[in-house]
Structure formats: C-alpha cells, structure tokens
Amino acid sequence: MLIDSHCHLDRLVDVAAALGEAREAGVGGMVTIGTRLSQAAIQIGLTGYDTPELRVWCAIGTHPDHAHEEPLATAERIAELTTPSHVIGIGESGLDYFHGGEDVRDIQIASFRAHITAARLTGLPLVIHARQADDDVMAILRDEHERNGAFPFLLHCFASGTALAETAIELGGYISFSGLLTFPKCDEIRAVARQMPRERLLVETDSPFLAPVPKRGKPNMPGYVAYTAARLAAERSIEPQALADLTTANFFRLFRRAA
C-alpha cells in the first residue's frame, strides 16, 4: 500500500474519479492539504470520502503565498480547528520567496511561527513548504527548537539543497518527495533522496501540480504517487513493494493520529 502524504483534493475536477484511480494504483490513503485557514472546513469536508479501503485525512493551515491575504491566526486558533479526528496535521505553512516579495516576508515568518507553535501545542506534525528560502527556514527551525523545544514536522515536495535536508533530519523531521524526483534536471533532489535515512522518507503527489514522468503536462492525480515511489525505490536500490511498506510505516509514525 502507498500513501499520498500531500495532495489538494479541493483543486481536482472530479474527486470521486481520482480516488477510484488511486485505489487501482495501490494507494490506500492520502492527506488533502489546506492552503487557507479560513477554508479549513473545505478540507475537513473532503475527509467525508474516507473509507476503510481508501483513507482520506486532512491538514489545515495557511500556505505562505496566502499569508498576507488571510488574517494572521494565533497558534491557539489554529489548534482549535484541529479537533476533528480526520485532521492529522497542520499546514501547509512555511516560506516562499519565489512568489513572495520582501514586502510580505515578515508576514510569512509570523504565520510560519504561529503554525510551529500550533504543532507544538497539538502534537500534530507541521507540513512545511520551503521554496527559495532555505536559509531562513533553517534558521527558524533551529531557533524554535532551541528556544521552545522540538515539534514534529515534514518538509513536503522537497526541492531544496542538501543543507536544509540535513538540518531537518538533525532536528527530527521527515522529508517527502514528489514528482520532481522524476524530472530530468532534478539530479540534486535525487542525490538527496539517496542520502537521507530510510526511516524519514515519505512520498507525495502535490496533485494537481507537478505530475511525474510519464504524466508530465497533465494534471497530477493522487494515484500518480506510484510513479514517484517507483523512482525513489530505484534511487534507493530497493524493491517497489519494500519502498511502499517503508514509506507507509514512516507515514504512520509521523502522522500518529492517522493510525
């Protein structure tokens, strides 16, 4: 069984069809991820598709691209919204300096820290988005650990350098690989995937974005996590089934409420 640890079901045209295709591809669970805290109810509503054969969980939070468009929520408010049992994570939150100019960086940082505190309050893992902001993400992670203690987290859709990956592992974090792992020009990401401890690896789609080879140019679907998993297995020189078992065990170790 595979688990798509990060998708956006609210962005798919036909959720029911996508879930059917995912089951056929051997996917047994997925997490639909929030991008606006004000729309947390949408993510929670999508967990209504949950069945014993295909589990559907969610995370709630505000993506850094939307941090300046949403009211800055307190950690306590974020934590309050995690009460439903199908909410198994917080996020996605983090820093994105590709889309966000210097005028919104302070807001992104404040939102990121609020989500970190909420993860610490609830014990739920924080799903972290990091794009062209490695240095600041590393600095904040270290500062939060040193000042306030550890919290569970996942670097999703890993697209950063080795330094951020090593920092995450040092601080107890996990790393999830997406379809980027299959892209021809992503040698550095594949190198990181080969080096990371096996007990910290997850897979995802980030659907409908970043469809893996051989589905490039099409909307990504949760079932396509099988292509990413196959490539990760090849990079790690293990059998696909062993990789599926490994990443699923890692998922449940991190997302404890899902167990």
Side-chain angles (χ1 to χ4, degrees), residues 51-72:
T51 68
E53 294 77 27
L54 180 59
R55 305 302 312 275
V56 180
W57 305 281
C58 75
I60 55 98
T62 296
H63 190 290
D65 284 351
H66 302 306
H68 65 289
E69 301 168 347
E70 293 271 304
L72 183 60

Side-chain angles (χ1 to χ4, degrees), residues 76-139:
E76 290 74 17
R77 175 55 181 158
I78 299 170
E80 286 175 3
L81 294 171
T82 67
T83 301
S85 61
H86 281 72
V87 180
I88 63 170
I90 291 172
E92 59 187 289
S93 183
L95 303 179
D96 190 319
Y97 293 171
F98 178 79
H99 290 125
E102 292 187 7
D103 58 322
V104 299
R105 289 186 181 181
D106 287 347
I107 298 172
Q108 287 192 12
I109 290 170
S111 178
F112 186 21
R113 287 190 183 271
H115 283 74
I116 289 172
T117 301
R120 193 179 286 111
L121 287 173
T122 61
L124 299 178
L126 174 62
V127 179
I128 297 177
H129 173 103
R131 188 172 187 186
Q132 294 189 5
D134 286 17
D135 289 346
D136 282 359
V137 171
M138 284 189 287

Side-chain angles (χ1 to χ4, degrees), residues 186-248:
C186 289
D187 290 335
E188 185 176 6
I189 294 175
R190 285 186 284 275
V192 171
R194 291 191 294 270
Q195 296 166 10
M196 292 299 100
R198 66 194 309 273
E199 67 273 11
R200 303 290 184 83
L201 300 173
L202 276 74
V203 287
E204 66 171 90
T205 59
D206 202 12
S207 61
F209 314 107
L210 302 174
V213 174
K215 299 293 185 179
R216 292 286 302 274
K218 299 180 180 181
N220 202 359
M221 296 293 170
Y224 296 171
V225 73
Y227 295 105
T228 297
R231 184 56 184 264
L232 182 57
E235 295 295 330
R236 303 282 301 197
S237 299
I238 63 175
E239 292 298 317
Q241 185 58 56
L243 189 282
D245 293 343
L246 171 66
T247 54
T248 296

Side-chain angles (χ1 to χ4, degrees), residues 133-145:
D134 286 17
D135 289 346
D136 282 359
V137 171
M138 284 189 287
I140 290 170
L141 290 177
R142 288 192 181 280
D143 178 64
E144 287 284 345
H145 274 75

Side-chain angles (χ1 to χ4, degrees), residues 14-38:
D14 189 336
V15 175
L19 297 186
E21 293 175 2
R23 281 192 296 270
E24 293 178 4
V27 177
M30 62 190 67
V31 187
T32 181
I33 307 292
T35 57
R36 292 179 183 269
L37 199 66
S38 63

Side-chain angles (χ1 to χ4, degrees), residues 139-156:
I140 290 170
L141 290 177
R142 288 192 181 280
D143 178 64
E144 287 284 345
H145 274 75
E146 291 170 2
R147 290 198 302 144
N148 301 308
F151 60 94
F153 70 92
L154 169 68
L155 291 180
H156 105 90

